Amino acid sequence: MIPPPSSFLFQFLLLFPLILSHSDSDSGHPVLPRPLIVEYPEFDAVLRCGAWRVAGEANNLGAWAIIPEECAEYVKDYMSGKGYALDLEMVSKEAEEYARTVPLGYDGKDAWVFDIDETLLSNLPYYAAHGYGLEVFDHEKFNDWVEKGVATAIEPSLKLYEDVLNLGFKVILLTGRNERHRSVTVDNLINAGFKDWDQLILRTSDDQGKPAVLYKSEKRGEMEKDGYRILGNSGDQWSDLLGSSISVRSFKLPNPVYYIP
Amino acid sequence: MIPPPSSFLFQFLLLFPLILSHSDSDSGHPVLPRPLIVEYPEFDAVLRCGAWRVAGEANNLGAWAIIPEECAEYVKDYMSGKGYALDLEMVSKEAEEYARTVPLGYDGKDAWVFDIDETLLSNLPYYAAHGYGLEVFDHEKFNDWVEKGVATAIEPSLKLYEDVLNLGFKVILLTGRNERHRSVTVDNLINAGFKDWDQLILRTSDDQGKPAVLYKSEKRGEMEKDGYRILGNSGDQWSDLLGSSISVRSFKLPNPVYYIP
């Protein structure tokens, strides 16, 4: 399949005539004329926003509420282009390789924990309609979206999900969604192709107001008390993965759109 | 300052005439002619290698000995271009912001731990001469390089280092280098502008053969026993940052060239 030209490539193509039109024979560069300085801000924004995104994936950023304004186009291009898709494939591939090779007990206690939103289910249409992270998160509007129950599977995650089930793992779904959304979440997951999970854990009234990293650590602690060995954990937020009772291996799915502490 | 054209940009410019020369009026694309399929592998390699690099920064990769062969050019371009420099600046900036805002005890026990190689000191000339990670790591050759004592400061790290000292942190250097390299390491650090550290911890004979993550966890455990509060930790390897006695905040500097378990 020939992929469509990305808008990143497209930017270069648009700039190319400008770059060519400026012939700077004093630049001393042996191959290329020096481009007009006015082109650089856009190129620099791509580099700077790339550095910002990678810093987030490496858990180097402090808490943030919205994406940097200068990165609005970059994040949109990344999410709707090949970048996000490739990163999702890469993390699932690595997780699968680990899942295939890690020794299992085959006693029903080998567990793989999955977060739901932006891990198994994609809410991209919602975020596309709300500036890809440029708007402050609105719980009410997002809940309206959740209640539609139309989120689609993140395909590489669905493949990993099926693979770990086939390998003999128990799958535990651990989400920040509210218990009152259990029914719509179950229906949405099943419609998207997910099935045969062992447990689906949602936030109860006891969990309200807790940071995700604490809520999820407590729930993983309960899994351990129940005898589960948490061998794998997939989530798009570091708060899905860190804290206590952490998994033997954790897999951070890409998400430059929002941050949950 | 006008940055030099990156070789990433350069690749596009080289491909551009080929892309233009192929006019596919049947493609149906409203703006651009469809490029020759032969161009795509290179563009795809950049995207795939980018995904591989980000997966490493997010700690999603299993152990690896050399970089993927197809990523040799990509890693070289990244390390010698603006990408690496920008990522280093981004992580130091985030660390500085945290250092300025985290509450300190001012009792001489607020500690910031720094790794040395690829964190404070750059061995880029060594890796440039050895394929930027394409060759299997050779301890003997690397030790020869270390003994020259000519590694240069990673400038954004030097700035962070000075800032945390000025803020009142105690700086502890924790390196996988061998105790027999203490003297050359001290000289190299001082020549590169680093000074006033509280402790410099190197591997003794007791530490030989231990994975870095264990060796460094043990040493951080000893710091805690000595009453230090480890508030910040900077390292280019996840094995600098994870394990036990982990820091309140950890900062992962970029390194797509080598992996230490």
Side-chain angles (χ1 to χ4, degrees), chain B residues 4 23 28 33 64 80 120 162 174 210 212 257:
Chain B
S23 173
W64 52 276
S80 49
L120 298 183
E162 290 171 341
L174 176 53
K210 283 180 192 165
V257 172

Side-chain angles (χ1 to χ4, degrees), chain B residues 59-167:
Chain B
N59 199 24
N60 286 331
L61 300 180
W64 52 276
I66 58 167
I67 65 174
E69 220 164 297
E70 67 161 348
C71 298
E73 273 303 305
Y74 172 86
V75 171
K76 180 183 167 186
D77 289 355
Y78 169 78
M79 293 301 289
S80 49
K82 281 191 82 172
Y84 181 51
L86 267 173
D87 284 340
L88 289 169
E89 274 171 35
M90 176 68 73
V91 61
S92 276
K93 192 174 71 80
E94 289 296 320
E96 277 169 34
E97 199 163 307
Y98 164 71
R100 275 202 316 275
T101 52
V102 64
L104 300 189
Y106 299 109
D107 55 358
K109 295 298 184 184
D110 302 305
W112 196 291
V113 178
F114 286 96
D115 168 57
I116 294 181
D117 291 298
E118 271 54 70
T119 298
L120 298 183
L121 294 180
S122 170
N123 302 300
L124 207 51
Y126 175 83
Y127 289 102
H130 292 88
Y132 291 96
L134 204 59
E135 295 177 17
V136 176
F137 185 76
D138 183 322
H139 283 276
E140 216 165 300
K141 281 187 193 162
F142 185 71
N143 284 342
D144 290 347
W145 159 261
V146 164
E147 285 158 17
K148 288 183 184 166
V150 295
T152 53
I154 291 178
E155 289 298 331
S157 296
L158 177 54
K159 185 176 180 313
L160 172 67
Y161 181 100
E162 290 171 341
D163 285 353
V164 301
L165 275 176
N166 288 335
L167 287 164

